[in-house]
Structure formats: structure tokens, C-alpha cells
Amino acid sequence: MEMMFWRKSVLSGLAFCGVWVTSVLSGEEAQPVLTADQLRAGAVVAASCGQCQFGMEGDSCDLAVRINGQAYFVDGTGIDDHGDAHATDGFCSAVRSARVAGSIIDGRFHATSFVLLGEGSPDEDRLEGAAEEAATTRSEPLS
């Protein structure tokens, strides 16, 4: 009886802190609940092919993100804008992490920013190159 009370207290506390209780119960890694403000500012989410990996309805392979356990098709960038979707590490073969910013409107994620993360990512390689260039470029103070 005491163990059951403790478990309910812990789970209630986790729900209060904004953690997916279902993830805790199923043994999956707990993911924080993302708010609309956090999405507009930028957050890391799961990204993949909606049809091949997330089981969404559609006629062809389309980019999708999973936010708070729900999958959404993405507007503002396409599945082939981030490498070959059908490569071994492409969206049709793997679920990847992406740093995104945007809003969910009418059941779709409208991306204002989408950067694929991870080793060998064309987006991350591009960003690293830009960061190195910025670090070596001297800027003159404004007068």
C-alpha cells in the first residue's frame, strides 16, 4: 500500500513538472512537453519521413516532425532539402534530430528554421563552416 502511494506521488510530481508520464510508465526516455513559445524560439525534435517512419497517411514521402508525441507534416522546407531521403541515414530510413523553430497551424508544422543535427548532417556541416568563417573574420568596432 505504501509503495503504491509513493509511485502515485512520484508520477503526479512528474506530470506536474511537464514530463510525459506515459513515457515514464512505458520505460522510454521522458521528453519534456514543448510549449508554443518554445517552438517559436527553437527546440530539438524528432524528424523523419511522415509516411515511412511515423506512419502518417500520404501519397509520397514527406518531411514530418514529432512534437509532444504527435507527428506533423512540415511546411517551409522539404524532405530532400537535407540530403538524400532514401540514403541509409536519410529520413525514409531513420528518425533524426533537428533543431526547429516555427508554429503548428491547422495541424501542420510551419518551420521558420530547420537544422538537421548529428554526425554527417549536411545542415550541421554548413553551420560549422559558417561558424569557423565567422570566428576567423575580424569585425571592426562601430564608431
Side-chain angles (χ1 to χ4, degrees):
M1 181 79 122
E2 187 175 306
M3 180 66 156
M4 182 61 109
F5 174 76
W6 179 85
R7 182 175 179 188
K8 285 183 181 180
S9 296
V10 168
L11 292 178
S12 296
L14 290 174
F16 180 74
C17 292
V19 176
W20 284 106
V21 174
T22 55
S23 296
V24 173
L25 292 174
S26 67
E28 296 175 11
E29 184 178 330
Q31 299 294 317
V33 175
L34 296 172
T35 65
D37 287 339
Q38 288 171 321
L39 280 176
R40 279 190 291 276
V44 176
V45 299
S48 197
C49 174
Q51 290 83 354
C52 296
Q53 295 295 320
F54 293 155
M56 300 171 75
E57 296 288 325
D59 296 329
S60 63
C61 295
D62 297 298
L63 183 60
V65 292
R66 189 168 42 222
I67 300 167
N68 296 337
Q70 176 69 39
Y72 300 93
F73 286 119
V74 175
D75 293 325
T77 188
I79 195 164
D80 289 318
D81 294 338
H82 307 278
D84 180 3
H86 294 101
T88 57
D89 63 346
F91 287 128
C92 293
S93 303
V95 177
R96 305 281 303 273
S97 292
R99 177 167 295 283
V100 302
S103 303
I104 298 170
I105 302 171
D106 295 328
R108 297 179 69 88
F109 182 72
H110 293 259
T112 56
S113 174
F114 187 103
V115 178
L116 186 60
L117 303 176
E119 188 175 321
S121 163
D123 293 340
E124 199 164 84
D125 291 344
R126 179 176 45 81
L127 287 177
E128 285 176 11
E132 288 173 8
E133 182 179 320
T136 59
T137 304
R138 290 186 59 193
S139 61
E140 297 299 319
L142 296 174
S143 44

